[in-house]
């Protein structure tokens, strides 16, 4: 029995090798996962041309996945530096990498990325359109945009952010609102500008069926972009955001009708007390499709520390139903992140995802924490470093001020509570002054 996409296979009751692998790694029965993929509540982005991919599932009942953004910009043209970031992302277990390159030889960089990366690869085709087509924005046609989508699909991109929800209806609501931060989505702002300059409807909305046909051909998952996401706390959960989200719900159903898998992208900046309601609203309006969030950043005043504001929001979002976290680095709002920023962003996002999985009761989520507790009880430092999310950093901290007693650290020394309890429960005396 033939099939084009993971969703079509699932609807026909076919357990693909990707579904089988995801089920095994997530400790889920194949038939349970099959039903979730068929209903669109789990997506397995895996382009037929991405041969190096390690398939991952995103959605209900699965571990929260994280995405790492990178890519070339006009101010930072260093392909080797970006490839170093790719290798770092893979080393630290990022399940997804988005190439947001918008300058130079994007095709060559993307081809190398797809050839070597086991992580899912995502792109935003509208970023690449100006450079790829060598045209000014206002001169690009609807068919030109679709041409870039096809090029990315043929190369092996697993999912694409497509800002199809910012149509004329949503744009009119945005224009009437007078937001604090207007549109902060790069792709959304470009399409809004294109619509204003040409007088045309959003090409990805107007030619949505043609777009879906391209994505279906290569089993590319559509990530429905949130052009009108809030870029500051004052704009969160406003009419513009909800209007676009309503459009994304309709577009989700149209994609599923063509067996195209869907992710729905979510808010950027949002106060803590609004996050849970937003997650539930998205799941309701978008029919349970996997939710992919940038942050949310829970305050606007921490440039240089936005990996922390994002991790706080991401943990709450994922615990409340989000399935996929886009990392944020300390360089957010300030510059293109360097490799150290990338590491900080990955680790913060991994912590948020893991904390949420524990809260959601995902199978196996507590296993590492249990191993860490057992190692700490034994004061087994090597095992602690092996289990830690960033064992290299933990070891460096520990060894930077070596303890006199190997069974403690330099914080507590012989007064270490764990050491004290191990001794006293083992029938030994605790003599702090005389012990050597």
């Amino acid at each position: 029995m033939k099939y084009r996409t993971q969703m079509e296979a699932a609807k026909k009751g076919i357990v693909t090798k990707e579904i089988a692998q995801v089920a095994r790694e997530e400790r889920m029965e194949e038939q349970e996962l099959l039903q979730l993929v068929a209903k669109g509540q789990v997506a397995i982005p895996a382009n037929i041309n991405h041969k190096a991919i390690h398939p991952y599932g995103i959605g209900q009942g699965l571990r929260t996945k994280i995405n790492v953004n990178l890519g070339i910009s006009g101010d930072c043209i260093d392909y080797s530096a970006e490839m170093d970031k790719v290798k770092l992302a893979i080393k630290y277990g990022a399940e997804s990498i988005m190439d947001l390159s918008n300058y130079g030889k994007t095709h060559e960089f993307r081809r190398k990325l797809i050839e070597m990366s086991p992580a899912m690869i995502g792109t935003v085709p509208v970023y690449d359109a100006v450079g790829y087509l060598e045209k000014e924005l206002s001169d690009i046609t609807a068919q030109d945009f679709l041409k870039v989508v096809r090029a990315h699909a043929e190369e092996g991109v697993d999912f694409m952010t497509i800002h199809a929800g910012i149509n004329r209806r949503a744009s009119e609501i945005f224009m009437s609102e007078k937001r604090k931060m207007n549109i902060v989505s790069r792709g959304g702002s470009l399409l809004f500008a294109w619509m204003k300059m040409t007088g045309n409807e959003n090409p990805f909305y107007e030619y949505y069926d043609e777009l879906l046909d391209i994505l279906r051909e290569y089993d590319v998952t559509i990530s429905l972009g949130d052009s009108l996401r809030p870029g500051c706390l004052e704009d969160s959960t406003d009419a513009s955001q909800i209007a676009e989200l309503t459009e994304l719900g309709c577009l989700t159903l149209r994609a599923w009708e063509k067996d195209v898998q869907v992710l729905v992208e979510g808010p950027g900046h949002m106060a803590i007390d609004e996050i849970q309601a937003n997650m539930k609203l998205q799941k309701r309006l978008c029919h349970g499709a996997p939710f992919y969030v940038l942050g949310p950043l829970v305050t606007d005043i921490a440039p240089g520390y936005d990996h922390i504001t994002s991790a706080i929001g991401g943990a709450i979002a994922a615990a409340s139903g989000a399935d996929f976290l886009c990392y944020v680095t300390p360089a957010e709002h300030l510059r293109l992140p360097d490799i150290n920023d990338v590491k900080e962003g990955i680790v913060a996002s991994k912590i948020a995802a893991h904390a949420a999985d524990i809260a959601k009761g995902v199978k196996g989520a507590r296993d590492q924490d249990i191993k860490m507790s057992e190692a700490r009880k034994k004061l087994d430092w090597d095992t602690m470093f092996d289990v830690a999310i960033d064992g290299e950093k933990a070891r460096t901290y520990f060894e930077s001020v070596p303890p006199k007693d190997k069974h403690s650290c330099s914080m507590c020394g012989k007064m270490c509570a764990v050491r004290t309890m191990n001794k006293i429960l083992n029938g030994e005396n605790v003599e702090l002054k005389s012990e050597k």
Side-chain angles (χ1 to χ4, degrees), residues 327-367:
Y327 91 149
V328 171
T329 78
E332 185 78 5
H333 303 111
L334 301 171
R335 69 173 190 196
L336 190 76
D338 64 19
I339 196 163
N340 294 318
D341 297 324
V342 169
K343 179 183 174 182
E344 291 295 314
I346 292 171
V347 172
S349 191
K350 292 288 282 188
I351 292 169
H354 181 67
D357 288 347
I358 292 170
K360 289 191 288 190
V362 173
K363 291 180 181 177
R366 288 179 177 262
D367 289 358

Side-chain angles (χ1 to χ4, degrees), residues 234-254:
E234 287 300 302
D235 293 340
S236 64
T237 323
D238 66 357
S240 297
Q241 179 193 330
I242 303 306
E244 183 182 38
L245 188 59
T246 303
E247 298 289 352
L248 298 186
C250 297
L251 294 172
T252 295
L253 294 179
R254 289 173 61 184

Side-chain angles (χ1 to χ4, degrees), residues 106-396:
T106 59
H107 166 74
E108 183 179 334
F109 176 73
R110 194 161 46 249
R111 179 179 55 79
K112 290 179 180 177
L113 177 59
I114 292 167
E115 281 179 0
M116 61 81 66
S117 175
M120 300 175 282
I121 302 301
T123 59
V124 187
V126 72
Y127 292 179
D128 198 26
V130 174
Y132 181 90
L133 299 166
E134 296 184 342
K135 292 183 177 181
E136 286 294 340
L137 181 62
S138 59
D139 295 329
I140 297 174
T141 67
Q143 291 304 311
D144 284 336
F145 282 119
L146 294 178
K147 180 181 178 181
V148 177
V149 169
R150 178 171 288 280
H152 285 210
E154 289 174 349
E155 288 168 4
V157 170
D158 302 298
F159 67 99
M160 295 184 203
T161 293
I162 304 292
H163 299 87
I166 184 168
N167 56 17
R168 283 175 174 160
R169 285 193 298 267
S171 297
E172 287 172 4
I173 292 172
F174 159 72
M175 289 293 289
S176 69
E177 273 209 302
K178 308 301 181 186
R179 276 179 152 192
K180 290 282 186 186
M181 281 293 297
N182 291 319
I183 295 175
V184 298
S185 159
R186 192 187 335 175
S189 68
L190 291 171
L191 282 170
F192 181 80
W194 184 88
M195 292 165 66
K196 284 294 182 183
M197 289 188 291
T198 64
N200 296 326
E201 176 61 282
N202 180 341
F204 294 125
Y205 180 79
E206 185 173 3
Y207 296 95
Y208 191 63
D209 287 328
E210 191 173 337
L211 167 74
L212 293 175
D213 289 339
I214 297 170
L215 301 183
R216 182 179 186 275
E217 185 177 347
Y218 299 91
D219 197 2
V220 178
T221 298
I222 187 169
S223 188
L224 290 167
D226 52 340
S227 303
L228 298 175
R229 66 175 180 265
C232 64
L233 298 188
E234 287 300 302
D235 293 340
S236 64
T237 323
D238 66 357
S240 297
Q241 179 193 330
I242 303 306
E244 183 182 38
L245 188 59
T246 303
E247 298 289 352
L248 298 186
C250 297
L251 294 172
T252 295
L253 294 179
R254 289 173 61 184
W256 286 346
E257 288 172 2
K258 287 182 173 278
D259 300 325
V260 173
Q261 299 183 101
V262 176
L263 304 172
V264 178
E265 299 185 13
H269 293 237
M270 182 167 289
I272 284 175
D273 62 325
E274 295 182 53
I275 294 174
Q276 184 178 33
N278 267 263
M279 301 305 109
K280 293 183 181 300
L281 183 63
Q282 184 279 337
K283 287 286 186 175
R284 180 72 174 269
L285 292 179
C286 296
H287 317 287
F291 198 18
Y292 174 25
V293 296
L294 177 66
L297 279 66
V298 296
T299 180
D300 299 331
I301 61 169
Y305 298 91
D306 277 328
H307 60 309
I308 297 174
T309 64
S310 172
I312 294 168
I316 297 169
S320 303
D323 308 288
F324 194 20
L325 303 181
C326 185
Y327 91 149
V328 171
T329 78
E332 185 78 5
H333 303 111
L334 301 171
R335 69 173 190 196
L336 190 76
D338 64 19
I339 196 163
N340 294 318
D341 297 324
V342 169
K343 179 183 174 182
E344 291 295 314
I346 292 171
V347 172
S349 191
K350 292 288 282 188
I351 292 169
H354 181 67
D357 288 347
I358 292 170
K360 289 191 288 190
V362 173
K363 291 180 181 177
R366 288 179 177 262
D367 289 358
Q368 275 184 279
D369 297 81
I370 292 170
K371 289 178 183 177
M372 180 63 84
S373 298
E374 291 170 346
R376 281 178 171 158
K377 182 178 180 181
K378 298 174 185 176
L379 291 168
D380 180 352
W381 295 101
D382 287 335
T383 300
M384 289 186 230
F385 302 144
D386 288 341
V387 173
I389 287 178
D390 185 358
E392 291 178 5
K393 184 173 184 177
R395 184 182 291 277
T396 298

